[in-house]
DNA sequence: TCAAAAGTGTTCTTATTACACCCATGG
DNA sequence: CCATGGGTGTAATAAGAACACTTTTGA
């Protein structure tokens, strides 16, 4: 094999950290591998990138094959390319994370997965490949992003309460927030639409429901506003 | 060619945005391509990643071949993988930026470059491949990073004046800063060592020289401090 | 009437902004 | 003695942190 050929004896893949939020904890959708290597191990959903496919498209495809969802928030994070990261050859992978509304997810495990399941972020064991490292890197990125852009709303249903929003931030940032200060800050941005609806069927005072006002957000950004929690 | 083989009919490269600062402007080190495609065009220094080489190592190698420098600040930014980004085949590239002290750079153009030259960031024309896009993305990343971590010092000589530091921030952030407020903020961090030396040979009151205290910085970070300009 | 979570203001402290003059040196 | 950039402080404003009780609902 010539030297030039050996440069092409390599492949690239995408791996996708799919985050969800169930009202209490931050979750990650993992698949149990159905094929070698690491058969039976939990892993991030991913696939080789097709020769005629853009990277983002490949990440979207992986997500759609697994969840059936399209048009979801997706962000590239980092390339992982250690020489020995894949036991079968030189494969570098481009890591993405995506944020989905957990209720939208219907179980449709792709052919390459034995099964898929939501995992509590706090209780994830040893994953295949370097996927633990990828997961950590993506969470770190999400922690940054969620404070500087209104991406947290991607994880919530269209109608949500302020307490749900606060719990979302608390679980992503792994910290506790003061209720009054949080509400003051969020509401002072004028980015939430008060729907004049309340929760139903709860055994306590029902909370008001809000919606994120994307149109207003785009407008404010155009005027120099930067989201900051 | 089987489908599996076609997955491996691809290569990856690294491209490195090398930033420097000459006291007034932010500069980027570009090479003029000596080979097709885009022969004669200015481009980011980069190369294919060797089969047995980690990504970071490849980026360091590109930097060292061009500048002779090792142990330089280097950060991965993003993978660029549009299907048609390289006219000769499927090549995805991992973009890095590095920060060097411009005085350390001695001209040693690598074999793959006809010539290398510093370019004013503000006056960069059309580059080869998608390198304009890569450059923009790396600058955006640098703008973020320089405010959240003390990486700006990587661009300055070991001894610098507060005015030089301020001009550095102003040229990276493309904004003007108030002299008194800037000094107050920087000095209040207690991260600069006053060397009790002054500039020599300047036709005005000589400025005091400072040094960044990396040891103290690491210590403060351990105590929960976060750099913020 | 009890349990459970929703909702609400004020004070204190800290950080940010705006702003103008004198100083030291070389030519 | 002039030109050039170096160096300094204060007051006003805005943002962030700390903190406890009343309200509404279903069971």
């Amino acid at each position: 094999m010539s030297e030039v050929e050996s440069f092409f004896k390599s492949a690239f893949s995408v791996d996708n950290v799919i985050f969800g939020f169930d009202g209490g904890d931050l979750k990650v959708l993992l698949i149990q591998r159905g094929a070698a290597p690491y058969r039976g191990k939990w892993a991030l959903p991913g696939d080789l990138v097709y020769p005629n496919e853009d990277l983002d498209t490949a990440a979207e495809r992986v997500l759609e094959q697994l969840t059936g969802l399209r048009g979801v928030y997706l962000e590239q994070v980092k390339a992982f390319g250690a020489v020995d990261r894949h036991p079968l050859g030189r494969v570098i992978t481009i890591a993405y994370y995506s944020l989905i509304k957990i209720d939208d997810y219907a179980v449709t495990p792709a052919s390459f997965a034995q099964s898929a399941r939501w995992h509590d972020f706090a209780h994830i064991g040893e994953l295949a490949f370097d996927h633990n490292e990828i997961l950590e890197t993506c969470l770190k990125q999400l922690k940054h992003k969620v404070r500087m852009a209104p991406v947290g709303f991607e994880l919530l249903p269209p109608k949500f309460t302020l307490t749900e929003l606060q719990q979302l931030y608390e679980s992503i940032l792994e910290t506790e927030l003061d209720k009054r200060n949080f509400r003051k800050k969020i509401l002072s941005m004028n980015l939430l639409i008060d729907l004049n609806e309340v929760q139903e069927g709860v055994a306590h005072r029902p909370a008001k429901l809000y919606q994120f006002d994307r149109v207003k957000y785009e407008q404010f950004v155009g005027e120099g506003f930067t989201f900051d929690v």
Side-chain angles (χ1 to χ4, degrees), chain A residues 182-196:
Chain A
F182 179 81
R183 285 164 180 244
K184 211 188 311 172
K185 190 160 191 176
I186 293 290
L187 291 174
S188 72
M189 291 188 199
N190 274 309
L191 288 173
L192 296 189
I193 302 168
D194 182 343
L195 293 168
N196 291 313

Side-chain angles (χ1 to χ4, degrees), chain A residues 11-18 31 33 43-50 53-65 74-80 85-86 91-98 112 129-131 134 138:
Chain A
F12 31 89
S13 60
V14 291
D15 284 303
N16 197 344
V17 178
I18 302 169
I31 60 158
R33 286 183 60 82
L44 296 172
D47 197 9
L48 292 177
V49 178
Y50 294 162
E53 186 181 44
D54 287 343
L55 297 176
D56 292 355
T57 311
E60 285 164 12
R61 173 173 56 80
V62 165
L63 184 87
E64 189 183 351
Q65 285 175 352
L74 186 78
E75 185 174 325
Q76 193 200 110
V77 175
K78 192 165 188 274
F80 291 80
R85 63 171 296 281
H86 196 297
V91 180
I92 73 166
T93 196
I94 316 296
Y96 285 78
Y97 72 84
S98 38
F112 58 84
F129 305 103
D130 50 1
H131 286 187
I134 294 176
C138 288

Side-chain angles (χ1 to χ4, degrees), chain A residues 19-32:
Chain A
F19 288 109
F21 179 71
D22 73 352
D25 294 298
L26 186 64
K27 307 268 191 182
V28 181
L29 189 55
L30 299 176
I31 60 158
Q32 199 164 19

Side-chain angles (χ1 to χ4, degrees), chain A residues 103-119:
Chain A
D103 298 333
D104 291 352
Y105 168 68
V107 185
T108 54
S111 57
F112 58 84
Q114 281 188 350
S115 59
R117 223 191 67 206
W118 288 103
H119 290 245

Side-chain angles (χ1 to χ4, degrees), chain A residues 121-122 136 139 143 168-176:
Chain A
F121 198 92
E136 285 303 326
L139 178 63
K143 280 186 184 183
L168 171 65
Y169 275 93
E170 288 180 333
S171 57
I172 293 176
L173 299 175
E174 299 179 285
T175 181
E176 296 208 343

